[in-house]
Amino acid sequence: MNLSETERSGWVAALTRWSIAHRWTVIVTWLVLALAGAAAAQSGNRLSFAFDLPGQPAYETNQRILGSFGSGGSNPPLLVVARLPDGGLSSPQAQGELQVLDERVRRAVPGARIASALGDPASAASYVSKDGRTTFAMVYPVPDFTSADPYTKALPALEDALSATRVGGEPVRITGASVLAAGGSSSSTSVLVETILAGVAALVVLAIVFGSLLALLPLLIAAIAIPTTFVGIYALTYATTMSTLVQNIVALVGLGVAIDYALLVVTRWREERAAGRTNRDAVLASASTAGNSVVFSGITVTVSLAALTLTSVPFLRSIGLAGMLIPLISVAVCITLLPVILDAAGSRLEWPRKRPPATVSRMWTTIAAWVVRHRIAAAVGALALVAALIIPVFSLQLGQPQAAAQATTASAQARAGLQALTDSGIGAGVLRPTEIVLPADRSFTAPHGITLVQPAAWNRDDIHVAAAWSSADASTDAGEAALSQLQAAADVTPGAQIGGSPAQDRDFIDALYGSNLWIIIAVITVVTLLLLSRALHSIWLPVKALLLNAISLAAAFGVLTLVWQKGHGSELFSSPATGAITLWVPLAVFALLFGLSMDYEVFILTRINEEYAAGHTTDTAVIRGIGHTGRLVSSGALILVFAFVALGGVPQTDVKILSTGLAAGIILDATIIRGVLAPALVSLFGNLNWWLPSPAQRLLRITPIRPQNPPSSSPPQEQTAYKTDSTSP
């Protein structure tokens, strides 16, 4: 069976032919890049842990505090919590023991900014609970910006210095927002370990899908694409700030994307060989069909991740830049190195299979046939299920996870310290106080119900700093209301500026989710629509794809809100409700899921297009398209879910929230959205899917996929007589 003119044309096919003709050049080039990337990945010291917000008022105030005092600002304090003896703060025993405690704290963290009942006698009552039995000291160590935890050195020093210290006969407890957020661990699961775990899970899935040495091939492609991406990341560190989080994102998302693309090409190569083509022709045919789909998918993922590069937040921009690299490099490997391997190894990759490989999934063919036969019921049922998941989105609240939720994975000491603060009535608000910068000749009056301290020692460079908090956690509605009251008070105090962690969080929300975000989303939507219109030779199919993406994303956000913010199911993570979704997570989920889920839509629709162009009715094209791609999509989705589960293995709550959103989104998208709703809608609209008015043809420079017939949505009359897999889904 010879290649058609269409299969021989196109730049992807030309590049594949060139790669095969220069196989050793291609192999050596990719091996060198992968080895260079493996070395570059070890240069983690060039990556940043900073969460800067240049130009935002609270961030600039925090930088001013940090510049003058060397501590504080966006870095909340450590809290040393003690139980006072009978007689409370005024007892001689308490005075003596607290004096020893203060001295040991100062020696343990030299240069720290400290406030306590003894060090700030003018506000001594502010550091003691109403029952007079619990007190605390606020300790702002000099932060270490070379680590994810700014107090990675100060905390162990403080713990060692106070390990034998007793106040009122009881040990003192050290807690704080950073201690609770770290999950009780100074180190999380390494990127290498996460990737290996996800890779092993992927190998199991691929072994089930292929049952031969082919199972190793997609993993090999990922093993080349991921380290090669780190070459680009390393180069970018010389031009811009790159966050340490890019390592996790590139390794795990890259694993899923590279395997997805390789799966599509390898599956099509198998199909072409089963149809009677020679091995070389099968390689070239898979490149001109599946290879083109991979290229469009990779560009679509890249465009979606451009959302992050257009934000004003450096660490999210870096995730966007790194995220854009991985699909592009994965595409490059799949259309150059993968064809070379398939051409050289050929049928030997099928070992130890003893029967010809199947080309169509019986299970997905049956599902698609049922969906087409009951398209209205399938569409309504899928939409009803998704709508139920979307409803919680309307109560989504952005903020830092509440302390009570983070405490579940923290150390026993940090939990005990938080418990003492909340039980005594001091509350969790003191974990993340608001800092107020004032001119040296100004004082500040706190609103009713808010505690304010202005230690005399916190004076430097003609300014002094005050700290204020309410009893409510800063991430709660009451905590946010307190921040608004403090901002209002600062607005009427000449020279006053608001800083601290809660204020910077508020600026973060303004910077990320302000009016510019809608402009970014609009640009991405238009560009994606144009790309898909050219790829699919249709106007309606891209519009439908974008609408389904929006529904899929909304459902993923609904799951996030339901599980984490509301706590329905968070017990699976040994965590109560967080009360809020971490500020940056929704945008990261949007950018990553938009591209990844569009991958599946492109895979499915390009195959349906191909079947429709071959002369099949819309309904038969849907059944055949899903039959050919259903197993590919479900296998790729399962691998991505395993990757995100591995990502969620770290102790930090915000990373768990991110991994939950990504995993839930992929599961929903690959099953309900692409497996049921998408084919039901394509079947429902019949030939209207390929409606292409003349102005659109001229503007986009595309032609109809075949001569247009009157729209039809009649039930399928054709028999789908083609080879199916009788043993695997």
Side-chain angles (χ1 to χ4, degrees):
M1 187 181 294
N2 297 323
L3 292 172
S4 67
E5 185 60 34
T6 300
E7 290 169 330
R8 291 181 182 278
S9 63
W11 70 268
V12 176
L15 180 59
T16 298
R17 287 195 295 272
W18 182 92
S19 299
I20 292 173
H22 303 83
R23 64 179 59 187
W24 286 111
T25 300
V26 172
I27 291 171
V28 171
T29 299
W30 284 117
L31 283 177
V32 169
L33 286 172
L35 291 173
Q42 305 305 312
S43 304
N45 59 337
R46 294 199 57 80
L47 301 177
S48 171
F49 294 93
F51 284 73
D52 297 347
L53 285 171
Q56 294 297 320
Y59 170 79
E60 297 299 341
T61 299
N62 287 336
Q63 290 299 104
R64 186 181 181 189
I65 294 170
L66 193 61
S68 293
F69 295 91
S71 62
S74 62
N75 304 292
L78 295 175
L79 299 177
V80 180
V81 185
R83 179 72 172 169
L84 294 171
D86 292 339
L89 185 64
S90 60
S91 70
Q93 178 186 352
Q95 291 285 314
E97 290 175 341
L98 290 178
Q99 185 65 44
V100 171
L101 177 63
D102 271 17
E103 290 173 357
R104 290 181 178 176
V105 168
R106 294 180 189 282
R107 285 199 302 268
V109 282
R113 183 157 51 95
I114 301 169
S116 66
L118 290 188
D120 183 18
S123 303
S126 299
Y127 303 92
V128 181
S129 61
K130 289 183 179 180
D131 65 3
R133 297 302 303 274
T134 302
T135 188
F136 65 91
M138 301 171 63
V139 182
Y140 287 95
V142 176
D144 176 12
F145 293 118
T146 64
S147 171
D149 182 356
Y151 301 144
T152 187
K153 296 176 181 177
L155 179 60
L158 196 58
E159 289 174 337
D160 288 344
L162 303 183
S163 59
T165 304
R166 297 290 185 272
V167 175
E170 296 184 20
V172 297
R173 311 291 186 183
I174 303 172
T175 190
S178 64
V179 186
L180 296 169
S185 174
S186 59
S187 63
S188 61
T189 307
S190 71
V191 176
L192 179 61
V193 171
E194 290 175 0
T195 308
I196 289 174
L197 290 174
V200 170
L203 181 59
V204 172
V205 175
L206 293 170
I208 294 172
V209 171
F210 290 115
S212 68
L213 288 176
L214 276 175
L216 298 173
L217 195 49
L219 281 174
L220 175 61
I221 298 304
I224 297 294
I226 292 171
T228 300
T229 303
F230 281 105
V231 174
I233 291 172
Y234 184 76
L236 285 171
T237 61
Y238 288 92
T240 187
T241 299
M242 297 297 289
S243 169
T244 55
L245 194 57
V246 303
Q247 299 176 95
N248 305 74
I249 298 296
V250 164
L252 297 173
V253 173
L255 183 71
V257 167
I259 288 176
D260 270 357
Y261 295 164
L263 267 172
L264 186 64
V265 174
V266 171
T267 301
R268 189 55 183 258
W269 169 77
R270 262 187 157 187
E271 182 183 334
E272 297 297 338
R273 286 186 66 247
R277 292 191 190 274
T278 65
N279 187 63
R280 174 67 61 84
D281 283 352
V283 171
L284 294 174
S286 65
S288 63
T289 52
N292 278 326
S293 296
V294 163
V295 170
F296 275 105
S297 294
I299 293 173
T300 303
V301 175
T302 302
V303 168
S304 71
L305 286 163
L308 297 182
T309 67
L310 299 175
T311 68
S312 60
V313 182
F315 100 91
L316 280 176
R317 281 205 305 268
S318 72
I319 293 175
L321 288 169
M324 290 171 66
L325 286 175
I326 187 62
L328 294 177
I329 291 174
S330 296
V331 167
V333 179
C334 279
I335 63 177
T336 55
L337 180 61
L338 181 55
V340 166
I341 298 172
L342 291 174
D343 182 71
S347 60
R348 292 188 294 274
L349 291 169
E350 294 288 0
W351 184 86
R353 291 188 72 106
K354 294 186 168 60
R355 61 184 177 86
T359 59
V360 179
S361 165
R362 170 183 288 185
M363 182 184 79
W364 281 104
T365 299
T366 302
I367 291 173
W370 184 92
V371 169
V372 167
R373 195 161 50 247
H374 305 89
R375 49 191 160 217
I376 295 178
V380 171
L383 285 171
L385 177 59
V386 172
L389 293 174
I390 291 175
I391 289 173
V393 170
F394 297 101
S395 61
L396 187 149
Q397 181 172 335
L398 296 171
Q400 295 295 341
Q402 293 177 15
Q406 293 182 319
T408 57
T409 56
S411 66
Q413 178 176 203
R415 289 198 306 272
L418 173 62
Q419 192 67 44
L421 290 171
T422 54
D423 289 348
S424 66
I426 294 172
V430 70
L431 293 168
R432 296 200 301 132
T434 296
E435 293 202 82
I436 303 110
V437 174
L438 297 160
D441 60 345
R442 293 285 178 183
S443 61
F444 188 81
T445 302
H448 177 72
I450 295 177
T451 302
L452 177 76
V453 296
Q454 303 183 68
W458 291 6
N459 289 272
R460 195 170 297 174
D461 299 338
D462 295 325
I463 63 170
H464 65 269
V465 174
W469 63 89
S470 70
S471 60
D473 190 304
S475 294
T476 63
D477 290 339
E480 292 180 3
L483 175 62
S484 297
Q485 289 178 293
L486 286 168
Q487 182 65 65
D491 290 342
V492 297
T493 304
Q497 295 175 312
I498 292 290
S501 171
Q504 188 158 315
D505 286 350
R506 181 187 57 191
D507 283 357
F508 201 106
I509 293 172
D510 292 341
L512 282 186
Y513 302 102
S515 58
N516 287 342
L517 177 63
W518 298 107
I519 297 174
I520 293 170
I521 291 175
V523 170
I524 290 173
T525 300
V526 171
V527 173
T528 302
L529 181 64
L530 293 175
L531 286 171
L532 291 180
S533 295
R534 284 189 55 81
L536 300 174
H537 294 255
S538 168
I539 297 296
W540 165 244
L541 288 179
V543 170
K544 180 189 67 64
L546 287 167
L547 289 174
L548 291 185
N549 253 28
I551 292 171
S552 181
L553 284 164
F557 293 150
V559 172
L560 272 186
T561 307
L562 195 66
V563 172
W564 285 104
Q565 184 174 315
K566 305 293 186 182
H568 301 296
S570 63
E571 62 272 7
L572 296 174
F573 303 90
S574 301
S575 174
T578 58
I581 302 300
T582 309
L583 307 172
W584 57 272
V585 166
L587 186 57
V589 168
F590 162 77
L592 291 166
L593 273 187
F594 184 92
L596 293 174
S597 59
M598 192 63 80
D599 255 359
Y600 300 142
E601 186 79 353
V602 170
F603 292 170
I604 293 170
L605 291 181
T606 51
R607 188 55 190 247
I608 292 175
N609 256 15
E610 188 177 332
E611 299 294 341
Y612 182 77
H616 296 293
T617 65
T618 299
D619 291 335
T620 302
V622 169
I623 296 171
R624 293 178 67 92
I626 296 294
H628 279 290
T629 59
R631 181 173 13 181
L632 165 68
V633 169
S634 57
S635 301
L638 189 57
I639 290 168
L640 273 172
V641 169
F642 283 137
F644 295 139
V645 168
L647 178 63
V650 301
Q652 287 88 346
T653 303
D654 54 352
V655 179
K656 289 181 184 292
I657 295 173
L658 173 66
S659 65
T660 302
L662 294 174
I666 290 295
I667 291 171
L668 288 168
D669 197 81
T671 54
I672 305 301
I673 303 296
R674 313 301 168 184
V676 178
L677 189 54
L681 291 177
V682 174
S683 176
L684 193 62
F685 282 89
N687 291 346
L688 185 62
N689 290 291
W690 292 276
W691 173 68
L692 196 61
S694 297
Q697 295 181 41
R698 291 192 297 270
L699 178 64
L700 299 173
R701 301 180 66 183
I702 55 178
T703 57
I705 200 164
R706 76 183 199 197
Q708 298 294 290
N709 299 316
S712 170
S713 57
S714 59
Q717 301 296 319
E718 300 180 24
Q719 298 295 317
T720 55
Y722 52 102
K723 184 177 180 183
T724 60
D725 189 340
S726 60
T727 59
S728 58

